[in-house]
Amino acid sequence: MNLRDLNDPSQLKNMSIKELTDLSTQIRQFILNSVSQTGGHLSSNLGTVELTVALHKVFNSPKDKIIFDVGHQSYTHKILTGRREKFYTLRQKGGLSGFQRRNESEHDPWEAGHSSTSISAALGMAAARDLQKQNFEIISVIGDGAITGGMALEALNDLGAQQRKVIIIFNDNKMSISRNHGGMETAITHLRTSEFYRNTKKEVNSSKSSNLVNKTVHKILHAGRNYLKNQFIDAPLFSQFNLDYIGPVDGHNLSELIPVLETARDHEGPIVVHVVTKKGKGYPLAEKDTVGAWHGVSPFDLASGKSKVLHTKKEISWSEIISNTLIDLAAGDEKITAITPAMANGSKLLKFQSIFPDRFFDCGIAEQHAITLASGMAVGGLHPFVSVYSTFLQRAYDQISHDLCRMNLPVVVGVDRAGLVGDDGDTHQGIYDIGYLRSIPNTIVCQPKDGREAQDLLYTGFKTQKPFFIRYPRGNEVYIPNEEYTQIPIGSWTKTVIGNPEQIVITYGPDVKRIIKKARSNNMNLLVVNARFFKPIDLGMLRKIKQMNLPITIYETDNVSGGLSDAILEGLNVIEPQVDVMAIQDKFVEHGSIRALRKLERISTEDLFERLENNVDQTGSEADKSVEQPN
């Protein structure tokens, strides 16, 4: 079948292995051609072509629910489910999402841009299915990286306890926790998928006879099956969670893969299918990649592999500016360490790893662990730096509050990809970190306007010896290494006067330079404030700005709730109170009875009414004065 003639996954049902293999080749080439034009996630999708084809051959989507963990490897799934003609719109405004999307297709039962959620979601769907006495399969496709996430392990534990029918496809593409592919394992896998084994298992499970001989046979068969399963089939990781296991199986061999999936479909209770795939399959440059360079790509030339996105020679990514500065600082401070939750390439920390291998820690897809790991290092006397994408940092909110900031530890966190990130969509927009970080006591939150200020702020972070968050966007910036570093006063802002100011703009990050440049080219009279600290803010400068009595525009490109504008409005109320605020101040509260704590923090009802009575007295006094004044 020609790929152009395929519009529904049901068309795969009557296709032969040869036809499906040919279709897989067409899909792989289609993905290569398309992603080279639009950009997107490449390696993971090239590696799951045959697996996805087999899933749609064996299962009946959308009745059966196929959940791709993270969802970035669902391109073949989209192509098979009627979205091939729209694929040129991938990750474009109004076009196809780079992930599964519920409002995009009935074949997308779940959506996520973060890893390790699929097993929990599948178990939840299974509970809903079972309680409503429905009948369909639920399949979670999860990679060997995502399964290391704490949430996935929690879900495996709960699934093993509940024993609901869920099929987990363990997509092993790094061989990081694989077992050896020995002849015994291959033989056992073939046995498990054979008609004899499957039919015998059904007979064993359905035996209800009271005949003593039949009972004895049933007991022997059952014991033999369990011995076989426990000795040769179960992987230690999954058996500990009380989950049946089958595999490993070649994820690119449809003649092996399809019978295994059919066995899993007919299995009673939860089962893990171990599928071995190769990332980047079919594109040599991606197949040879060992550092994730072909995981997510911009448009590129298919023949040479070179990116079509051009930058000036002096421009490098913000991530690389931070990494280069970190390396320079680490050369003079042996206590500096670098931690990443599986984003070493994206965060540009591979060079740091090569120079300081003993001081580099990739803890896998485990943002929570990364923050607490850094906190432990800080307690032990080190100066850790954690690089985390903004969208993933929000997963570690509890650890930031409970383990890092509550103890006021000296950890510097690089909040990478802060702000709008574009193509990856709503799951990846890094626009919320200012708000949730400002809500936690002891945090210092900042963002540089340019490469030079980025270097100085990172230097300042290590000198400050407190929880220090430096955010920087996706994209590139001019980089000239600082000859020496300057420690920037915490909370300080800077200003640029253009002409004779008639109004004021308060902003931050790269937009500071853009606004200054545009104001000058338009001959505008403007005061531009670089509000490089979100917490604390520069109350001194804010007071002077207010006294100028000019129109103020706060220009922020992140979520408004808890952002710069909220910080400024709070600051203005401190400078000249307009509203009386009673609340727990920005601090961690010690233990004690609730009544005692409310008194301690001056938020008891007695404190409230004392404040109200004072307000009445002051209002009455002002009213009396106004009456006594002559006309």
Side-chain angles (χ1 to χ4, degrees):
M1 174 182 287
N2 192 298
L3 180 58
R4 288 174 297 182
D5 299 325
L6 194 148
N7 299 300
D8 189 274
S10 62
Q11 294 175 261
L12 274 60
K13 299 301 181 184
N14 296 320
M15 292 176 64
S16 67
I17 296 294
K18 184 178 183 304
E19 290 172 323
L20 292 173
T21 301
D22 177 63
L23 180 66
S24 297
T25 301
Q26 294 180 58
I27 292 173
R28 183 169 279 110
Q29 191 59 49
F30 178 86
I31 290 174
L32 273 168
N33 292 337
S34 183
V35 174
S36 69
Q37 298 299 314
T38 63
H41 290 95
L42 185 65
S43 287
S44 54
N45 284 289
L46 294 178
T48 54
V49 174
E50 288 85 2
L51 172 58
T52 309
V53 167
L55 285 168
H56 281 288
K57 166 76 171 177
V58 173
F59 298 99
N60 299 303
S61 179
K63 180 183 178 182
D64 294 333
K65 315 301 179 187
I66 304 174
I67 306 171
F68 289 90
D69 203 279
V70 184
H72 65 280
Q73 76 278 44
S74 61
Y75 290 5
T76 299
H77 169 76
K78 289 174 182 279
I79 292 166
L80 294 174
T81 53
R83 287 169 273 183
R84 175 185 51 79
E85 291 184 356
K86 292 184 178 180
F87 220 72
Y88 71 94
T89 68
L90 182 71
R91 292 156 51 97
Q92 310 298 313
K93 188 177 184 301
L96 293 180
S97 168
F99 305 89
Q100 282 187 295
R101 188 81 174 174
R102 293 183 68 209
N103 64 5
E104 190 177 284
S105 171
E106 62 179 346
H107 295 278
D108 293 358
W110 182 255
E111 56 186 58
H114 296 171
S115 80
S116 313
T117 67
S118 64
I119 302 175
S120 295
L123 181 54
M125 291 181 191
R129 174 199 63 196
D130 297 346
L131 289 172
Q132 297 175 87
K133 300 187 180 348
Q134 296 171 332
N135 182 28
F136 55 85
E137 304 298 337
I138 303 170
I139 306 98
S140 159
V141 183
I142 184 168
D144 57 355
I147 210 164
T148 64
M151 185 175 177
L153 297 176
E154 292 170 11
L156 286 173
N157 184 57
D158 196 13
L159 177 61
Q162 293 194 38
Q163 287 293 299
R164 296 188 188 276
K165 175 65 181 298
V166 170
I167 298 169
I168 299 171
I169 307 298
F170 171 43
N171 178 26
D172 180 1
N173 53 41
K174 288 184 179 178
M175 309 299 292
S176 57
I177 57 175
S178 317
R179 299 160 68 199
N180 293 327
H181 291 206
M184 178 60 75
E185 286 184 307
T186 302
I188 295 299
T189 296
H190 287 167
L191 173 61
R192 283 287 302 265
T193 58
S194 69
E195 288 295 325
F196 170 78
Y197 180 86
R198 289 157 66 184
N199 291 336
T200 302
K201 181 180 174 183
K202 287 180 181 178
E203 291 175 9
V204 169
N205 289 336
S206 63
S207 178
K208 302 291 184 182
S209 173
S210 60
N211 182 283
L212 181 60
V213 174
N214 283 348
K215 279 188 174 184
T216 302
V217 171
H218 177 275
K219 186 175 181 179
I220 293 170
L221 286 172
H222 188 75
R225 186 201 70 173
N226 284 343
Y227 177 81
L228 183 69
K229 180 169 73 71
N230 292 333
Q231 293 299 314
F232 300 112
I233 298 174
D234 285 350
L237 170 65
F238 301 110
S239 64
Q240 294 302 312
F241 290 113
N242 197 26
L243 300 172
D244 279 347
Y245 167 94
I246 183 170
V249 61
D250 184 351
H252 302 296
N253 188 328
L254 287 165
S255 62
E256 292 184 12
L257 192 53
I258 290 172
V260 168
L261 293 179
E262 290 173 341
T263 299
R265 180 194 61 198
D266 298 338
H267 179 78
E268 296 178 8
I271 187 169
V272 176
V273 179
H274 184 169
V275 178
V276 178
T277 61
K278 186 174 185 61
K279 268 192 171 185
K281 176 74 172 177
Y283 188 56
L285 291 173
E287 286 187 10
K288 295 174 183 176
D289 177 27
T290 60
V291 297
W294 289 91
H295 170 70
V297 297
S298 57
F300 65 97
D301 179 73
L302 200 55
S304 66
K306 292 182 178 179
S307 175
K308 294 179 180 178
V309 180
L310 301 177
H311 305 291
T312 64
K313 290 183 179 180
K314 290 185 178 180
E315 282 190 353
I316 61 174
S317 71
W318 284 91
S319 305
E320 195 168 357
I321 292 173
I322 294 295
S323 178
N324 288 349
T325 309
L326 182 68
I327 290 169
D328 190 46
L329 295 173
D333 184 353
E334 62 182 14
K335 291 185 177 182
I336 289 179
T337 59
I339 301 170
T340 176
M343 300 304 294
N345 183 60
S347 296
K348 303 302 178 186
L349 289 176
L350 292 174
K351 185 177 178 182
F352 183 99
Q353 180 187 22
S354 67
I355 298 172
F356 309 107
D358 294 339
R359 291 195 263 161
F360 174 80
F361 302 85
D362 186 340
C363 60
I365 302 177
E367 296 83 6
Q368 300 173 44
H369 169 55
I371 294 297
T372 304
L373 174 67
S375 300
M377 287 183 183
V379 168
L382 298 178
H383 299 161
F385 171 81
V386 186
S387 179
V388 190
Y389 288 11
S390 172
T391 183
F392 303 138
L393 183 64
Q394 63 200 32
R395 308 185 82 182
Y397 180 89
D398 178 63
Q399 287 67 32
I400 294 168
S401 175
H402 183 273
D403 300 335
L404 173 55
C405 295
R406 188 177 55 84
M407 291 185 280
N408 207 15
L409 298 172
V411 174
V412 180
V413 179
V415 186
D416 202 341
R417 270 53 166 194
L420 294 169
V421 297
D423 303 339
D424 282 333
D426 58 354
T427 62
H428 276 51
Q429 307 293 9
I431 60 176
Y432 307 104
D433 57 85
I434 299 172
Y436 67 74
L437 289 174
R438 284 188 61 247
S439 71
I440 301 174
N442 294 336
T443 53
I444 297 171
V445 189
C446 64
Q447 180 168 346
K449 73 178 188 303
D450 55 29
R452 179 178 180 81
E453 194 167 67
Q455 297 171 68
D456 287 337
L457 281 173
L458 185 60
Y459 172 77
T460 301
F462 284 107
K463 290 293 184 182
T464 302
Q465 297 292 296
K466 290 173 66 69
F468 192 96
F469 296 81
I470 173 172
R471 64 194 311 267
Y472 39 96
R474 183 179 187 176
N476 295 276
E477 169 64 16
V478 173
Y479 172 62
I480 301 174
N482 289 4
E483 292 183 5
E484 59 180 311
Y485 298 110
T486 299
Q487 187 169 348
I488 296 174
I490 300 299
S492 65
W493 294 351
T494 62
K495 62 183 179 182
T496 301
V497 178
I498 305 168
N500 185 21
E502 297 173 347
Q503 53 185 317
I504 301 166
V505 172
I506 306 176
T507 190
Y508 56 90
D511 284 311
V512 172
K513 294 188 303 179
R514 298 186 187 113
I515 292 168
I516 291 171
K517 182 179 180 181
K518 190 160 188 175
R520 284 174 173 161
S521 65
N522 293 341
N523 295 316
M524 292 189 68
N525 296 312
L526 197 65
L527 175 65
V528 181
V529 176
N530 171 23
R532 58 191 176 190
F533 283 93
F534 306 100
K535 183 181 179 183
I537 63 172
D538 194 334
L539 290 177
M541 183 175 289
L542 192 59
R543 183 178 286 106
K544 293 176 182 177
I545 288 170
K546 188 175 186 304
Q547 290 170 352
M548 293 175 70
N549 199 28
L550 294 175
I552 299 174
T553 299
I554 302 169
Y555 180 72
E556 55 184 322
T557 54
D558 292 278
N559 191 44
V560 68
S561 181
L564 177 63
S565 55
D566 273 2
I568 290 173
L569 293 173
E570 292 166 10
L572 290 172
N573 197 58
V574 170
I575 293 169
E576 188 176 320
Q578 301 294 315
V579 178
D580 198 6
V581 177
M582 292 184 67
I584 296 173
Q585 298 305 300
D586 187 32
K587 59 185 284 189
F588 287 99
V589 179
E590 298 296 330
H591 67 274
S593 70
I594 294 176
R595 177 170 177 76
L597 293 176
R598 286 167 68 102
K599 288 293 290 181
L600 180 66
E601 300 300 324
R602 299 189 63 79
I603 57 167
S604 68
T605 52
E606 290 87 347
D607 290 308
L608 170 63
F609 277 87
E610 181 181 338
R611 184 84 65 93
L612 293 174
E613 288 172 3
N614 289 337
N615 291 342
V616 170
D617 291 341
Q618 292 174 8
T619 304
S621 176
E622 291 297 320
D624 290 342
K625 289 180 183 178
S626 65
V627 171
E628 292 172 0
Q629 291 177 353
N631 293 333

